[in-house]
Amino acid sequence: MEQEKKINIIYGQSGGPTSVINSSAYGLIKEAKKHADKIEKIYAMHFGIEGLLNEDIIDLTSLQDDELKKLLTTPGAAFGSNRYKLNDEITDKEKYDKIISIFDKYNIHYFFYNGGNDSMETILKISNYAKKIGYKLNSIGIPKTIDNDLCEMDHSPGYPSAIRYIANSVSQIYYDDKSYLSGRVNIVEIMGRNAGWLTASTKLAELNGAKIDLIYVPEVPFSLEDFLNKVIEIYNAKKHCLVCISEGIRNKNGKLIGTIKEEEDAFGHTQLGGVSVYLSHLITEKLKIKTRYFELSLLQRSNSIIPSIVDIKEAMMVGKKALLEALKGKTGKLIAIKRISNSPYKVKYVTIDISKVANKERTLPLKYINKEGNNVTDEFLEYATPLIRDKKGNGLFEVFRVD
């Protein structure tokens, strides 16, 4: 009987890095090495699709375990990320043909792309084109995004580590200001263009006694007048006020609040940032109160200092499952995380059609936002708390308190 011909696989990273994107790479590569009877070469795109088009490919086949394990503690995208947009197959036909020709040249028939909404659109387009021209290609999406806005998921790898960092950072800001009889209005700006999942996570700081006075997310229209009235009310009552706010908040007319300049990336997304500065200056001018503003920026997504143990494990598993599903012949699929129970916390991994996720966005459900639109509910805490827990406790540093 003729022995089945071995094939090669390729893996790529795309979009904003998370603290566990490389853990998914680890899970996939480690599993691929167990199937040397079917897989000959393990490749990685250097800088995603953009690198692939330049035939910039890294051979990982001989990577030893001691080097491979470093992926688990490496921040950023170890193999290089990109925000390269593939247009439709008519407009970019030459690029699609080039991708397939490179796959054919390197005998690549398993294609894995690790990213968010836009990245899933990219893998779907390539998968559909390969199918259309008759090139055998098993394409599997590996999810990641700190925004937690991928549809069909309980949560996305990258989100738990980001919110653990955010909750601990916000808690430190709270306790620093609480050190004084009279403090400031502190405004913390959190990532989140259209979805408030990250900003909502600041509520987790309350697990170790911090008090977040106001939380504003993009899902609810923002009123400057209501905001200023609420700030002065809180500050007059306690001489402290901590505000956590999404970078993408908008007024009732849909206009962004305080964005410095509305530049767009390749996918048409506005480059945000500046709302905390704007509101801080406004409070100083209108209310005559001292303020500080904080923009956590990329630190929240590149957190490799206090990552979530749950996140690392799950990121490895979606990488591993992607490889196994491809070996089963699956294509055009994404590995999704589904929660089975909250206590004890358990999940399962399922495959879903990438078309259900590609270029779609899941926003924070209204049930997690209070009626006034300026905080989040305890129901959100029930959802988020298991994602940051570790063996020692709730995932936040312990605090000595004199209340």
Side-chain angles (χ1 to χ4, degrees), residues 61-79:
T61 312
S62 60
L63 194 65
Q64 298 300 307
D65 286 346
D66 57 341
E67 282 297 307
L68 187 61
K69 285 181 180 178
K70 291 178 183 178
L71 285 169
L72 297 174
T73 54
T74 300
F79 303 110

Side-chain angles (χ1 to χ4, degrees), residues 81-139:
S81 189
N82 72 118
R83 294 190 185 277
Y84 189 86
K85 181 177 176 62
L86 269 181
N87 295 308
D88 61 74
E89 62 182 68
I90 297 175
T91 306
D92 278 350
K93 186 176 187 304
E94 288 185 8
K95 293 176 182 176
Y96 284 88
D97 287 337
K98 186 171 184 180
I99 288 170
I100 298 301
S101 69
I102 291 171
F103 283 172
D104 187 49
K105 177 180 177 180
Y106 288 87
N107 191 31
I108 293 168
H109 293 280
Y110 293 158
F111 167 41
F112 305 94
Y113 213 35
N114 202 168
N117 321 66
D118 297 323
S119 306
M120 293 306 110
E121 182 183 24
T122 298
I123 196 171
L124 181 62
K125 286 177 176 177
I126 294 172
S127 178
N128 287 342
Y129 189 73
K131 184 177 181 181
K132 179 180 178 179
I133 65 172
Y135 185 82
K136 183 172 175 52
L137 185 68
N138 292 351
S139 306

Side-chain angles (χ1 to χ4, degrees), residues 17-24 72 143-148 153 155-165 198 300-304 306-319 337 345 347 349 386-390:
T18 73
S19 61
V20 297
I21 188 172
N22 298 319
S23 296
S24 291
L72 297 174
K144 71 88 208 164
T145 176
I146 66 166
D147 294 314
N148 202 34
M153 305 272 288
H155 59 279
S156 302
Y159 178 67
S161 291
I163 66 175
R164 186 176 183 192
Y165 176 86
L198 288 171
Q300 61 204 289
R301 81 180 188 200
S302 63
N303 164 35
S304 58
I306 50 168
S308 160
I309 303 304
V310 168
D311 204 16
I312 294 172
K313 178 183 176 181
E314 292 178 347
M316 285 192 293
M317 284 301 295
V318 294
I337 299 172
Y345 172 74
V347 300
Y349 303 89
L387 303 180
I388 67 168
R389 281 197 190 113
D390 56 27

